[in-house]
Amino acid sequence: MWMKLCGLVCIFASCVLTGFEMERRLKQRWMFLWEMKETLRLLEKDMTWHRTPLPEALLGAAQVCKTPLGPMLVCCAGQAGMSGGQSFGEIWQESARGKLPDGLLSEAQLQAVLETGKALCSADTVLLKSNLQKQELMFENLSMTAREEWREKGMLYRRLSAAAGAAAVILLL
């Protein structure tokens, strides 16, 4: 009797925790995109107003990051400082693909992150500012969409996982 009860509790708890994990991933996606937007704003200020070199600006931005964006920026700044014959765009893409966890972003969102490397490559200050503002606007839209998705689907995931756990418990009784 007790063994069966413990098994039912474990099944229900695992279903509920699965729903919470799925919701957490949606929230993490939204936080990453929002932080990317804020990082672009910070990079624009550092690189256009303060004339900070790109590797130093990336390291400064990485210090305030709380998502996987921070390690990606540190890796990118380190490789850009060494510059072993690779262009910055290649370094950015390699860092993004290597440091970001699988499944964090959708394919379209990952493409937006990869395009950001091209926006950071400009030596002209006016063009750099324009490119970074365009990318910032794009990430603002992506983060708003991801936030709405988190709010809608997150609640749905929690409720459905609890319902699935309850259904599994009822079936096993």
Side-chain angles (χ1 to χ4, degrees), residues 36-167:
M36 187 72 182
K37 174 190 70 116
E38 294 298 318
T39 299
L40 288 173
R41 184 175 293 161
L42 182 63
L43 288 174
E44 176 194 347
K45 184 178 96 176
D46 282 351
M47 294 173 66
T48 58
W49 294 357
H50 302 297
R51 307 262 189 223
T52 306
L54 181 58
E56 290 178 28
L58 289 173
L59 287 175
Q63 291 177 352
V64 296
C65 291
K66 293 179 175 83
T67 64
L69 180 61
M72 183 188 111
L73 294 177
V74 169
C75 177
C76 193
Q79 288 182 358
M82 292 186 296
S83 187
Q86 286 183 311
S87 71
F88 180 75
E90 293 171 343
I91 293 171
W92 180 268
Q93 287 188 1
E94 184 179 299
S95 297
R97 292 190 192 279
K99 291 294 180 180
L100 296 180
D102 292 336
L104 175 66
L105 302 173
S106 69
E107 193 60 38
Q109 293 164 342
L110 181 61
Q111 284 302 321
V113 170
L114 296 177
E115 288 174 13
T116 303
K118 296 175 189 172
L120 291 168
C121 289
S122 179
D124 181 22
T125 307
V126 175
L127 185 60
L128 177 69
K129 184 173 182 160
S130 172
N131 288 342
L132 289 177
Q133 286 175 345
K134 287 178 187 175
Q135 289 296 111
E136 183 184 332
L137 182 62
M138 180 174 50
F139 278 103
E140 184 173 354
N141 293 335
L142 287 172
S143 72
M144 286 175 30
T145 303
R147 183 177 183 198
E148 288 303 313
E149 183 181 21
W150 165 54
R151 287 186 175 192
E152 292 171 4
K153 288 185 178 178
M155 184 171 40
L156 181 67
Y157 288 158
R158 283 189 316 233
R159 289 181 180 170
L160 286 176
S161 66

